[in-house]
Amino acid sequence: MIVKRFTGQSVEEALIRAKWELGDEAVLLSSGPAKDRWWKFWERGYQVLAATDYPLPSSAPVSERARESESSRPEIAVTSTSAERESRDERLEEMMSLLMQMDKKISQVSAPRKAKDSPILAHLLSLEVDEKWARELTGALPKGKKDTQLDMLQELLGERIVLSPPLSGDTPHVVVFIGPTGAGKTTTIAKLASKLGLEEGKRVLLITTDTFRVAASEQLQTFGSILDVPVVIAKRPQDVPKFIQDYPADVVLIDTPGHSISEPMGIRSGLSVVKHAKATDVLLCMPATYSRSLFVDTAKKLSQDIAVTLCLTKVDEALCPGPVLSALLELKNPVMYVTTGQQVPHDIESAREGHLLQWLVKGGAYHG
């Protein structure tokens, strides 16, 4: 085994010298600052220790007569070896010079792109907005100061994201709530029932079809008793129309069990409630804590071909609005409500009348 030490102005240069002399099969044993006294005291050098099992390159085999001739003329052999070393060092210096020139060109090519990144684009990327949407939104804005562009961005999002008006008791509503497990559908229903019943004086009926989750119906019945709102349990989607007929109401809020996107049977069961209830509105409750891809995939699989309106839940728990913003731009579904906690009925607001757009643009904690 051959072990040699190589030095250079950087570790990369020392490695190149090692590979050049020992070949690609060389093994790196150690690396660190150079300690040789010959190294320039005003520069910092580096060294690597490399090893190889193969012998160093040598000249072609020579005959015994040639060896005798070389032994008789040692000064010629020494001169030849020195010339080879000088030639090899020259080639190595040329290679290092070319590598340094290439590095400078790469830096020059990448620098303009960074310079073109405007402050508003950097801001959107810091909010974890997908680069595709961040660049598209930035390109649609006229040049100006960052604060001015943020205001214009909020206006632009107001044009691209539909904010649906909240439910009212002026016309009868049959609203079916769907969403993934743990999205907060039941708590959202309780908040809306309180607003419509206690604050607006509307007749509200609560129906739950969630007979799968433990104590799900009991939770809604507890809310109903506190709010003095009737609550009925539908064990089958086919039972929902009868309850709607038996309990006249201005607004009917129907809870469904949450399902994972990997449960197609459960998804179809929830959507069958929409069909039998003849729903006027379908609210898809989606956590704002989801990533963009999970948000989009879940929304598409749970709603399928049914027109849904979004209710963003757990907005207070979202670290950045970028994933939600990217998902809303991709899905193009209207947003009706935003929920920001567990308190009934306070932690819910209309997306149109609240601060959703401001939060999507500026980020930070959501202040309802």
Side-chain angles (χ1 to χ4, degrees):
M1 175 178 288
I2 299 173
V3 180
K4 290 195 66 175
R5 182 173 56 184
F6 300 86
T7 56
Q9 292 182 350
S10 64
V11 176
E12 290 77 10
E13 180 179 341
L15 285 173
I16 290 175
R17 293 179 184 273
K19 293 290 185 180
W20 180 268
E21 183 167 337
L22 300 183
D24 293 335
E25 301 298 329
V27 177
L28 178 64
L29 300 180
S30 64
S31 63
K35 299 180 180 179
D36 303 63
R37 292 185 178 180
W38 64 266
W39 192 258
K40 301 175 184 178
F41 66 89
W42 63 86
E43 293 182 0
R44 185 178 181 182
Y46 294 88
Q47 66 180 14
V48 297
L49 192 66
T52 180
D53 291 332
Y54 301 96
L56 294 173
S58 59
S59 57
V62 294
S63 62
E64 293 181 0
R65 184 179 299 177
R67 291 177 182 173
E68 293 176 358
S69 177
E70 289 179 359
S71 62
S72 63
R73 295 180 295 173
E75 67 283 354
I76 298 177
V78 172
T79 303
S80 176
T81 303
S82 176
E84 290 178 358
R85 289 178 178 175
E86 290 179 2
S87 176
R88 185 170 63 235
D89 290 342
E90 289 177 0
R91 292 197 300 270
L92 181 58
E93 293 296 334
E94 291 178 0
M95 178 181 294
M96 293 301 302
S97 177
L98 289 174
L99 289 174
M100 293 177 66
Q101 293 177 9
M102 290 176 62
D103 184 59
K104 289 181 180 179
K105 289 183 178 180
I106 292 173
S107 300
Q108 293 174 356
V109 171
S110 59
R113 180 177 179 181
K114 293 182 179 179
K116 290 180 181 178
D117 288 352
S118 65
I120 193 68
L121 175 60
H123 171 72
L124 290 174
L125 294 177
S126 69
L127 296 181
E128 299 184 7
V129 178
D130 277 12
E131 185 174 355
K132 167 195 170 184
W133 292 111
R135 293 191 178 277
E136 181 175 328
L137 292 172
T138 304
L141 297 175
K143 295 182 179 179
K145 294 183 178 180
K146 181 179 178 181
D147 293 340
T148 305
Q149 284 190 314
L150 287 175
D151 294 336
M152 291 186 292
L153 177 60
Q154 186 169 331
E155 295 178 2
L156 178 62
L157 292 181
E159 298 173 359
R160 296 198 177 191
I161 299 176
V162 179
L163 301 181
S164 182
L167 296 172
S168 65
D170 297 338
T171 56
H173 288 277
V174 177
V175 188
V176 177
F177 290 76
I178 62 175
T181 304
K185 296 185 298 297
T186 305
T187 307
T188 302
I189 289 174
K191 294 174 183 177
L192 289 177
S194 177
K195 278 187 171 294
L196 295 171
L198 298 181
E199 297 180 10
E200 299 185 16
K202 305 301 180 183
R203 296 177 301 171
V204 179
L205 170 64
L206 303 183
I207 301 177
T208 177
T209 62
D210 189 356
T211 57
F212 298 94
R213 186 164 56 95
V214 176
S217 58
E218 287 82 355
Q219 181 184 7
L220 195 61
Q221 286 178 329
T222 301
F223 283 132
S225 62
I226 295 174
L227 302 174
D228 195 20
V229 173
V231 179
V232 293
I233 302 174
K235 295 183 178 180
R236 302 181 306 163
Q238 295 85 342
D239 298 333
V240 173
K242 182 179 183 302
F243 291 132
I244 296 176
Q245 184 177 4
D246 293 344
Y247 295 87
D250 300 314
V251 180
V252 180
L253 306 178
I254 304 175
D255 193 11
T256 62
H259 292 286
S260 168
I261 57 177
S262 61
E263 299 177 302
M265 291 294 294
I267 295 174
R268 285 196 291 268
S269 175
L271 295 179
S272 67
V273 176
V274 177
K275 177 182 177 182
H276 286 89
K278 297 181 180 179
T280 60
D281 303 271
V282 181
L283 271 182
L284 173 58
C285 295
M286 289 296 302
T289 54
Y290 277 13
S291 65
R292 180 208 59 82
S293 58
L294 181 59
F295 193 112
V296 172
D297 291 345
T298 302
K300 287 182 177 180
K301 291 184 179 180
L302 291 182
S303 61
Q304 296 187 7
D305 57 348
I306 295 178
V308 300
T309 302
L310 295 176
C311 173
L312 297 178
T313 62
K314 303 183 180 181
V315 177
D316 57 311
E317 301 178 18
L319 299 178
C320 288
V324 175
L325 174 56
S326 304
L328 293 178
L329 292 172
E330 184 171 347
L331 290 171
K332 299 180 180 180
N333 291 100
V335 184
M336 183 178 291
Y337 289 106
V338 174
T339 70
T340 57
Q342 299 295 322
Q343 295 185 22
V344 178
H346 305 291
D347 295 337
I348 188 171
E349 66 179 24
S350 165
R352 176 178 287 187
E353 301 169 0
H355 304 81
L356 176 61
L357 293 180
Q358 181 180 353
W359 176 68
L360 291 175
V361 170
K362 297 184 179 179
Y366 188 94
H367 300 290

